[in-house]
Amino acid sequence: MRERDEPSTLTLAWERAALEQDGFVVFDQLFTPEELREVEQIADRLLSSSSRSNHDPPFRRFLRDMAPKEASEAGVLDGVYRQPELEYAGCLAPELLTTGVFRKCSQMAKALGGSISRRFDHLIYKLPDSRTATPWHQDIAYAKAKLNLDTKALHFWIPLQDATTENGCMHFERGSHRTPVRRHGQYDRRTGGKGFQAAEPELADAVSCPVQRGGLTIHTPRTLHYAGPNTTGETRKVWIIQFARLGAARLKVKQLLGEAPGPLLE
């Protein structure tokens, strides 16, 4: 874990080596409290009840509930969403892409992966006393093509508060990105979407990665990972940004095809 200043001033040799060897890396104290507060205010507005009631399509189309369909747990948002996830948050609220957090992540992504840009992002809120864990999986399981030809793709996991073992920090299986893609099973989420979980994952080298507010984790699409339940009384808020080759162009095509949204109109 490293304390870092501006990503543009870094060689990031140690971090690049960690990504290649382990499939993930953890940073501490990259963002200021003011930068995180700016993102949190936008994220809270997006996931507020007023936003949901004022914006049906396209907002509701990209709002998910991460909780499994059969889950029964405390903590409900407006009686509906227990673990809300908003896909393409940066498309719905482009002001997220002008924040210091996004600028620093973009700089770091280019320093680590070369010519890569944002192809997807989403917000995930684990509500207080949520007993739903995000099961072990590889993000490539969600891709239509499992060959993962984009070896430079990187996924940034940015907590908006301290991420702890109690509120659902990230866990990684060290070196799992260098092995064949695991077989994944599907499960139904409460709003009808599909979730994926690795079948019988090997966890000999599982690492828990608590992150102080201001830090983040970065992993590859092939890295096996997990986030536990939130057993605290506070919501665990995370912004996840995926960077890939031709990411911006691919995202623009998705918008033209109606597979990704445009900005919400207030």
Side-chain angles (χ1 to χ4, degrees):
M1 186 180 294
R2 296 287 189 88
E3 292 189 6
R4 290 299 194 179
D5 296 318
E6 285 284 340
S8 57
T9 66
L10 308 176
T11 61
L12 296 177
W14 179 87
E15 289 79 3
R16 192 177 295 108
L19 275 168
E20 292 176 359
Q21 177 65 29
D22 299 331
F24 68 94
V25 66
V26 182
F27 285 85
D28 192 22
Q29 299 303 314
L30 181 65
F31 311 116
T32 68
E34 293 74 23
E35 289 170 335
L36 289 171
R37 192 153 41 243
E38 181 182 19
V39 170
E40 186 174 16
Q41 288 172 348
I42 299 169
D44 284 352
R45 175 173 57 81
L46 277 172
L47 286 170
S48 68
S49 58
S50 60
S51 290
R52 287 203 304 282
S53 61
N54 292 340
H55 305 289
D56 286 334
F59 186 90
R60 287 186 182 274
R61 181 179 170 192
F62 298 98
L63 184 64
R64 306 282 188 259
D65 191 340
M66 297 287 287
K69 193 171 185 178
E70 66 277 7
S72 59
E73 59 178 66
V76 185
L77 188 62
D78 271 0
V80 179
Y81 298 105
R82 301 182 180 188
Q83 192 171 297
E85 171 190 16
L86 183 62
E87 298 177 343
Y88 299 105
C91 294
L92 291 161
E95 57 265 39
L96 279 171
L97 309 181
T98 66
T99 61
V101 169
F102 184 77
R103 174 176 52 81
K104 288 180 177 179
C105 288
S106 296
Q107 291 173 351
M108 184 172 290
K110 288 180 171 60
L112 289 169
S115 183
I116 59 177
S117 54
R118 166 180 154 267
R119 70 175 172 195
F120 178 71
D121 72 295
H122 56 150
L123 298 164
I124 299 178
Y125 278 27
K126 280 186 183 284
L127 298 189
D129 300 316
S130 168
R131 294 193 288 273
T132 300
T134 304
W136 285 98
H137 69 283
Q138 294 161 293
D139 291 333
I140 192 175
Y142 287 87
K144 294 179 180 177
K146 301 296 191 291
L147 295 178
N148 193 21
L149 299 177
D150 192 353
T151 57
K152 299 296 184 183
L154 295 172
H155 297 182
F156 286 53
W157 192 87
I158 307 149
L160 303 183
Q161 69 295 297
D162 290 347
T164 66
T165 54
E166 290 78 21
N167 71 7
C169 71
M170 289 286 270
H171 296 64
F172 298 101
E173 172 71 357
R174 197 187 304 274
S176 54
H177 65 304
R178 293 184 279 107
T179 63
V181 177
R182 305 299 203 278
R183 182 170 57 87
H184 286 68
Q186 288 188 354
Y187 62 89
D188 292 327
R189 292 177 177 165
R190 295 184 68 245
T191 49
K194 297 294 183 183
F196 292 87
Q197 55 186 347
E200 300 179 358
E202 298 174 7
L203 301 176
D205 295 308
V207 181
S208 174
C209 296
V211 180
Q212 293 181 356
R213 187 168 187 257
L216 78 157
T217 69
I218 305 173
H219 65 277
T220 80
R222 284 178 173 260
T223 306
L224 191 66
H225 60 284
Y226 158 92
N230 177 13
T231 61
T232 74
E234 303 292 332
T235 299
R236 192 222 65 183
K237 307 175 182 181
V238 173
W239 187 22
I240 300 167
I241 312 172
Q242 298 183 4
F243 294 91
R245 288 180 294 185
L246 300 176
R250 291 155 66 180
L251 182 54
K252 188 65 176 178
V253 169
K254 282 192 170 186
Q255 287 181 305
L256 291 172
L257 294 174
E259 296 176 4
L264 288 174
L265 298 177
E266 296 295 343

